[in-house]
Amino acid sequence: MRLVRWTVVFVFLIVLVLPAVLSLGIRYIPNSFQPSLGNTRQIYDDSTAFQSFTAEKDLFSGLGVSIKNPNFANKKDIILEIFEGDKKLLRTVTLNGKSIADGNFVKFYFPPVEGSLGKTYTFVFSAPTATIDDALEVFLVDKKLPDKDPADVSFVSFYRTPTFYSLPLEIYNQWFGKLTSDFPFFVSYLAIILVLLFLAIKPSRSKTS
Amino acid sequence: MLQKLEIPGWQKILVLAVLVRLLLMPFFYHPDIKTYHFQASFLNKGVLNIYSYLTENKKALPIKEEFVYFPLSYFFLGGYQTLISPLLGNGFSSWLSDASQESMDRVGVFRYLFLLKLPYLGFDIATAFVLTMFFNNANQKRRSFILWLFNPISIFLIYIYSNIDIIPVFLTLLSLLLIEKQKLLLPAVLLGIGAGFKSYPMLFLPFLILLGRSVNQKLLIAAVALGAFSVIILPFLTSAGFQQGAFASGLTTRIFSYGISLGFGEILAPGVIALAILFFWSVFENLCKKEDMWKYFLVIPLLIFSLIHFHIQWILWTVPFFIILIVKEERFTLPVITLLGLAFLIPLFYDDKAMTFSIFRAVSDLYTLLPTPFVMLQRFYDPYAFQGALHSLLAGGSLVLAFQIFKRRQI
């Protein structure tokens, strides 16, 4: 019966506790999924890729884009600059093309920008030491997407969680919300679980002769 | 049958077993379940030859994978979907064909996962009862019942990685039970039907044939098994999609395509070598007896996935027979746990997000952001070398275990 007890406890932990534990390893939260990829824009010399957007959360901490670098041809620096509005330089991140594989989704992380919720930021990608022959290419959005300009960069913005417990709380909240949104299933499922729990816990009747 | 179960408190054990399974079912997701159910949904639209249909319509379909299982999987899954369609609701079809990243955010996902895994629960529980029939001793019956119902390996493989393997596993176990009850033709039929879901039960056929007392009986066993299998696959044999999807993928490719190169395009396949050694050794030493067939049902799949690159769900093929082993001979418990643990660990280090943290995708898509063990390991060691090391340990341990099992004739 030890195996029974251990397995039951183990499964309860996996289902109810492990999601919270794992969420502690998620430090940067994306605002959404990356829009589908379309054409690319080359970045080299004074040819840049830039775009403005409105931050959807506080503690804006990173930007992710897909970058083309066939055969690791580019081994030069790629620079990301973040401006508040389009004037005040807030953050600069430099990566090198030698660590960017072709088509990879590359994340540029930087110290969190406090009070970012609702503010407009402009990001600029540049590679001033690259030439047209070894230019990196940033993917733009798929032109078939209905609410996007085909000249827009296909990007994801990342945000830090304010406290270590805020993300697990948010995840459990959303989990419960998603479960209860399918109300008939939720009620049926809960009823079955409760009946099984009752049957499992209730003392067995001893046989009388 | 239930009266003969002789397991005190089996009802409560069963209730707890079902409870842990129901807790897992709605909340864990592996993309295979969506892929093969998307493919099986075409049965409802009148498609009988899924292999040709997927090949001809590949460009128009949102999910472009081939159907890699044998026909009974398609008809079983498609038939089941049709049966429960009122419970699945209106959003199910569009969820199945939604290949976007947002698909797991839909309301109803937990319902779909729960209902789609429900038939596996039936075969899973049935397997527990069939296992008890291998023993006469009440204590052994209870032990086998509990070991099957509460071993984490089979629970995770069936309800998290949610593949269809539990069905052929159940059929092979039933086949073995009938062999022990002195039948030969009915087990052959069951192996053929099991292969109609996934091909691996056919690996047992050469050894089942050895049980035939005469050449005629051996031929009859072969004809019955191959006949049952042929009836299932014959309508699809000429379909290029079937040849490519079912025959040329997964187990069939991996057994024969990788190994020691002899030059001139020829390869020595270690899995085949191991099976050949087992077969010819059984012939020369006259090892094949009905009461020992469970050893073959254990060792054959164990050698296969120990010696080739395997899918995690293949481990399930061995679990009931491992249980028979450790119930009969408790001293094998620790080696079995070690080998099963190793076997389970290896695929977790594959370069495949769906194997680890992404199984929580139904709870939240944020878990896909977590780096896989492959990526984490890559920072300081070659993950392929690590996989190879673990797999080598598994292969060595499995070979020794196989030898020990056959050496001890009294087990």
Side-chain angles (χ1 to χ4, degrees), chain A residues 1 3-4 7-8 10-12 14-15 18-20 22-23 25-26 28-30 33-34 158 167 171 175 178-179 181-182 184-185 189 192-193 196-197 199-204, chain B residues 12-13 15-16 18-20 22-24 26-28 101-102 104-111 114 142 146-147 150-152 155-156 357 360-367 369-370:
Chain A
M1 286 303 274
L3 176 63
V4 174
T7 302
V8 170
F10 187 50
V11 167
F12 269 90
I14 297 260
V15 175
L18 189 59
L22 288 179
S23 70
I26 303 169
Y28 299 95
I29 315 300
F33 293 109
Q34 185 183 20
F158 290 91
L167 183 60
I171 286 175
W175 184 5
K178 198 156 107 178
L179 184 57
S181 297
D182 186 356
F185 171 73
Y189 180 69
I192 295 169
I193 296 292
L196 288 173
L197 267 172
L199 289 172
I201 292 168
K202 82 168 182 153
S204 313
Chain B
K12 203 161 258 194
I13 294 170
V15 162
L16 274 172
V18 171
L19 179 63
V20 301
L22 295 193
L23 280 174
L24 290 170
F27 305 121
F28 289 87
Q101 294 171 85
E102 291 93 346
M104 296 309 289
D105 290 341
R106 289 184 179 224
V107 169
V109 151
F110 298 139
R111 172 203 294 243
F114 179 84
R142 181 184 167 84
I146 289 175
L147 280 171
F150 290 93
N151 83 81
I155 293 172
F156 288 171
F357 307 123
F360 288 93
R361 253 190 88 189
V363 172
S364 171
D365 271 306
L366 292 176
Y367 292 106
L369 297 173
L370 289 168

Side-chain angles (χ1 to χ4, degrees), chain B residues 17-36:
Chain B
V18 171
L19 179 63
V20 301
R21 284 152 171 79
L22 295 193
L23 280 174
L24 290 170
M25 278 158 67
F27 305 121
F28 289 87
Y29 169 75
H30 186 278
D32 278 357
I33 194 170
K34 192 157 174 277
T35 302
Y36 61 68

Side-chain angles (χ1 to χ4, degrees), chain A residues 182 184-185 188, chain B residues 80-92 108 111-112 114-116 118:
Chain A
D182 186 356
F185 171 73
S188 314
Chain B
Y80 174 71
Q81 257 188 52
T82 306
L83 200 68
I84 64 162
S85 54
L87 297 175
L88 288 167
N90 295 330
F92 178 67
R111 172 203 294 243
Y112 306 148
F114 179 84
L115 288 172
L116 294 180
L118 214 47

